[in-house]
Amino acid sequence: MAAAPAIAQAPVRTERLQLSRGESSKTVRGTVRGYDSVDYLVGVRAGQAMSVSLRTTNRSAYFNVLPTRGDMAIFNGSVSGNRFDQRIRDGGDYRVRVYLTRNAARRGEVAAFSLTVGLLDRPSAVGPGAGNIPIGSGPPIAAGGMAAFCGGQASAQYRVRPADIKVGRVVADRGGSAIDDSADQGRDGIKRFRCRFDPRNRFVDVMAMTRDGF
């Protein structure tokens, strides 16, 4: 659990993100500037799998996921990266908050973004009692190709050459598999991250392991 970012008394704009009948995901586009932030209210039923991903023009823009009550985030993008994927235990209105980090906000920076939110009923994807195991998407990846796949995903996310990605070994656990790696961003330093795969070897995300995310 992580606290939501401290916003310097700027009002939070709130919009309802409603999926139409038959839709499994929706993408919205917007802009945040300085200390402004926007909350997207998403109605989620207990047991649904919720996924959120962010694309932005500013590396200092992130999103948090906040529960139906309180301001303690269940996901902090500035720590964990730009993708959230989790089965929701308690139904209600969840808030997806898009914001700029404090340093970028202080400089009055602007971030254009596209935010994609998905909701799926997938009771067979996760076993009993494993409500927090991330759920991947796409086809399963052969064990021998997971490291290469991870390197390609990370190269795009960190905007570096594949040669600047150092890939570790695949480690399996009850929640799937993970690969701990690093990206050399030159003057911005070495960024540690983790590629995650679900129990079926489907790719979940590239999760930042440094506090600045990127």
Side-chain angles (χ1 to χ4, degrees):
M1 301 289 283
I7 304 299
Q9 304 301 316
V12 179
R13 187 172 81 252
T14 301
E15 299 181 16
R16 168 70 65 175
L17 195 156
Q18 184 74 48
L19 273 66
S20 302
R21 186 178 183 86
E23 283 186 322
S24 59
S25 67
K26 175 167 285 188
T27 299
V28 294
R29 293 173 174 80
T31 303
V32 289
R33 180 192 300 270
Y35 288 101
D36 292 340
S37 60
V38 55
D39 277 3
Y40 291 98
L41 288 180
V42 184
V44 187
R45 297 194 306 272
Q48 280 191 306
M50 179 181 181
S51 64
V52 184
S53 60
L54 178 74
R55 292 182 178 274
T56 178
T57 59
N58 191 318
R59 290 185 180 183
S60 296
Y62 297 98
F63 73 89
N64 287 0
V65 179
L66 294 91
T68 55
R69 294 182 180 87
D71 285 321
M72 294 297 294
I74 62 174
F75 175 88
N76 187 326
S78 64
V79 175
S80 300
N82 64 359
R83 183 176 175 87
F84 167 84
D85 203 335
Q86 184 173 306
R87 187 169 301 284
I88 301 301
R89 294 178 183 269
D90 302 314
D93 281 342
Y94 284 73
R95 288 173 288 159
V96 180
R97 176 169 297 174
V98 181
Y99 62 95
L100 283 160
T101 58
R102 183 179 296 276
N103 288 341
R106 187 181 299 118
R107 293 190 294 267
E109 293 186 14
V110 178
F113 65 86
S114 65
L115 183 79
T116 300
V117 177
L119 295 173
L120 287 176
D121 296 308
R122 292 185 284 189
S124 62
V126 178
N132 291 325
I133 293 177
I135 301 167
S137 59
I141 299 168
M146 292 169 72
F149 186 90
C150 171
Q153 295 292 315
S155 175
Q157 178 164 316
Y158 284 89
R159 302 175 186 175
V160 298
R161 300 171 304 164
D164 295 323
I165 299 291
K166 182 178 180 181
V167 181
R169 63 187 182 89
V170 179
V171 177
D173 60 26
R174 71 175 186 87
S177 301
I179 308 174
D180 285 346
D181 316 293
S182 62
D184 186 348
Q185 289 190 315
R187 289 181 297 177
D188 291 332
I190 304 295
K191 308 298 183 181
R192 295 185 301 107
F193 63 89
R194 174 173 295 164
C195 286
R196 298 191 297 171
F197 300 83
D198 74 5
R200 298 183 182 180
N201 282 5
R202 296 174 300 189
F203 176 70
V204 174
D205 60 11
V206 176
M207 184 175 71
M209 302 294 286
T210 51
R211 293 198 63 83
D212 63 352
F214 289 94

